[in-house]
Amino acid sequence: MTQDNGELDSLVRKRIRALRVAQGWSLEELATRAQVSQSTLSRIETGQRRLALDQLVTLARALDTSLDQLVETATDDVISNPMIDASHGLMRWPIKAEPGMTVVRQRMTDPPPDNPARMRAHPGREWLVVLSGTAILLLGNRRLRIETNQAAEFTTMLPHAIGAEGGPCEILGIFDRDARRGHQRGDDAGKANRSSAASSSSSSSLPSQSPSASP
């Protein structure tokens, strides 16, 4: 690696040191694992020695990572804005590094449904934490009370539903691809049912008209 790309050069050096510290290794320990001298490793971390490709390969292996990960650049946007679904009180964020994974924040005011037919079951896995208030999770035949700062993790193949207890609650959930799709299908079905019910109610409220009598 040449010094022409000073920003990447500095990033790689900081990354080597950060990975070493995260492992709890001293300079001597990593130098031994990478089969370089302690002084060489120190100069690499502090920018006093040119980064050579063969040394980076050795250091990446010693740090239990790959060369690509060691020299990758942080070009992606760090900040992302939520997709807002106001009708359901939802905010969604995709996880860019894990396609299909989604983070959802939701404010709930209604208790969980009394009718077991409204519990969902679909492939996938879900993790959630209660940010405020108290949530009730119906999971199979169990009724679980989740307090503020408590988390729950479960397979979504178990019939499940969630609601608030004693006032509004706010949850933050992480869905894998299958769990997200299952909830989207459930939301779409719920919208269709509500629309059908509203249409039926509207039709039934119209006055019936008998055929006009023949002259």
Side-chain angles (χ1 to χ4, degrees):
M1 181 180 297
T2 68
Q3 298 297 325
D4 295 338
N5 191 340
E7 186 175 343
L8 177 58
D9 183 276
S10 176
L11 175 63
V12 171
R13 295 177 191 276
K14 290 177 181 177
R15 187 172 285 151
I16 290 170
R17 184 180 187 283
L19 289 170
R20 173 177 65 79
V21 172
Q23 295 280 11
W25 295 338
S26 65
L27 279 168
E28 182 181 3
E29 287 174 302
L30 179 55
T32 300
R33 291 172 182 272
Q35 297 182 334
V36 299
S37 70
Q38 184 175 336
S39 61
T40 294
L41 178 59
S42 177
R43 290 198 297 272
I44 288 174
E45 287 190 359
T46 57
Q48 298 174 8
R49 183 184 179 94
R50 179 178 177 274
L51 292 173
L53 181 60
D54 58 340
Q55 288 179 331
L56 288 178
V57 171
T58 301
L59 285 169
R61 189 179 300 115
L63 289 164
D64 195 26
T65 187
S66 67
L67 179 62
D68 288 343
Q69 289 178 316
L70 193 60
V71 301
E72 69 179 354
T73 57
T75 56
D76 294 338
D77 292 336
V78 175
I79 306 298
S80 62
N81 293 314
M83 295 172 285
I84 299 175
D85 180 353
S87 63
H88 292 92
L90 293 175
M91 289 190 288
R92 293 188 177 93
W93 298 264
I95 300 179
K96 298 174 185 176
E98 296 290 340
M101 297 286 287
T102 305
V103 177
V104 175
R105 181 171 181 168
Q106 183 175 15
R107 185 177 186 271
M108 297 181 296
T109 56
D110 295 332
D114 294 328
N115 186 354
R118 293 179 58 193
M119 296 173 69
R120 300 173 182 172
H122 47 81
R125 194 161 187 86
E126 182 175 341
W127 179 94
L128 63 89
V129 62
V130 176
L131 301 178
S132 64
T134 301
I136 297 295
L137 173 64
L138 305 182
L139 191 62
N141 295 323
R142 303 169 68 189
R143 183 183 178 91
L144 304 170
R145 194 168 187 267
I146 312 174
E147 304 280 359
T148 301
N149 296 328
Q150 289 185 324
E153 182 177 359
F154 55 93
T155 170
T156 50
M157 284 298 288
L158 285 169
H160 60 282
I162 191 167
E165 181 185 65
C169 77
E170 197 166 23
I171 64 170
L172 189 73
I174 300 176
F175 301 79
D176 66 10
R177 186 190 303 271
D178 290 332
R180 177 175 57 84
R181 286 176 175 172
H183 277 268
Q184 284 178 335
R185 285 194 292 268
D187 290 342
D188 292 341
K191 288 179 182 177
N193 290 338
R194 288 191 294 272
S195 176
S196 175
S199 176
S200 175
S201 174
S202 175
S203 298
S204 64
S205 65
L206 292 174
S208 59
Q209 296 181 352
S210 58
S212 300
S214 299

